[in-house]
Amino acid sequence: MPQPKRASESHTIMTEMVLPNDTNTLNNLMGGRLLHFMDIAAAIAAQKHSNRVVVTASVDNVSFAEPIRLGNIVTMKAQVTRAFSSSMEVFIEVWAEDIPAGVRVSTNSAFYTFVAVDQSGRPIEVPPVIAETDDEKSRYESALRRRQLRLVLAGRMKPQEATELRALLEM
């Protein structure tokens, strides 16, 4: 088993400027372009944690809370929350900033799941995560429930097997 790594070691910040080619007819960043940016930032965090090539396995619900406008600076912060055998959950937060106006707003957050793969594209074991801060510990502890929900929704786990999820629903 690989040596455990601190969650903070995967911390990734990525910044992009919204240019005309990134926008829709309302001069807002296109949702698909934002998902592309988020996927890259989250993949970098997963690669930092696993020291391996990673592939995107899933993206949880992404809601667009605020529009991101032409000329805004988009900042994404991603970090691995928990690792399972070959997969890693990554939490990503997104902010938009209008620098001339001095305004910064939170626009999105999501959980991505990545699988580390070897040179042949087969899943490979990843290091466990060491959660240190209160936020890291909270996300780490709830990651198993999110994972079970993803697996149940994908039809890869029977609902009765999702023990953590069932315990939450029976509260």
Side-chain angles (χ1 to χ4, degrees):
M1 171 181 276
Q3 288 294 317
K5 291 177 80 173
R6 294 187 332 265
S8 60
E9 292 179 67
S10 68
H11 182 83
T12 299
I13 296 176
M14 187 171 120
T15 305
E16 296 283 341
M17 176 182 269
V18 180
L19 299 172
N21 196 43
D22 301 321
T23 63
N24 60 25
T25 55
L26 299 174
N27 282 332
N28 293 327
L29 179 64
M30 290 184 284
R33 188 72 171 139
L34 178 61
L35 292 172
H36 172 78
F37 292 157
M38 292 170 71
D39 191 41
I40 292 169
I44 292 169
Q47 283 192 349
K48 283 181 171 183
H49 181 76
S50 64
N51 293 324
R52 295 289 182 171
V53 171
V54 299
V55 294
T56 309
S58 71
V59 180
D60 285 9
N61 179 44
V62 179
S63 296
F64 298 90
E66 296 284 337
I68 301 174
R69 308 228 185 265
L70 176 64
N72 281 174
I73 304 303
V74 180
T75 303
M76 291 149 284
K77 183 176 94 173
Q79 187 169 306
V80 173
T81 60
R82 188 161 179 175
F84 297 94
S85 61
S86 62
S87 67
M88 295 155 283
E89 181 189 76
V90 178
F91 179 66
I92 184 163
E93 299 172 282
V94 181
W95 294 271
E97 186 172 7
D98 180 339
I99 292 176
V103 175
R104 184 175 192 247
V105 295
S106 173
T107 62
N108 304 77
S109 64
F111 289 96
Y112 278 64
T113 302
F114 291 88
V115 174
V117 295
D118 64 16
Q119 298 87 334
S120 301
R122 289 186 298 267
I124 190 165
E125 194 171 20
V126 298
V129 171
I130 301 169
E132 298 175 304
T133 69
D134 289 343
D135 281 345
E136 289 171 356
K137 289 175 184 175
S138 174
R139 288 189 186 114
Y140 179 92
E141 290 167 4
S142 57
L144 182 56
R145 289 188 295 274
R146 288 187 297 273
R147 180 175 190 261
Q148 288 181 352
L149 179 59
R150 286 182 206 108
L151 293 172
V152 167
L153 291 174
R156 295 179 54 216
M157 177 184 270
K158 294 180 179 145
Q160 58 270 26
E161 295 171 353
T163 55
E164 287 292 314
L165 195 53
R166 272 196 3 243
L168 177 68
L169 296 173
E170 291 171 358
M171 291 176 74

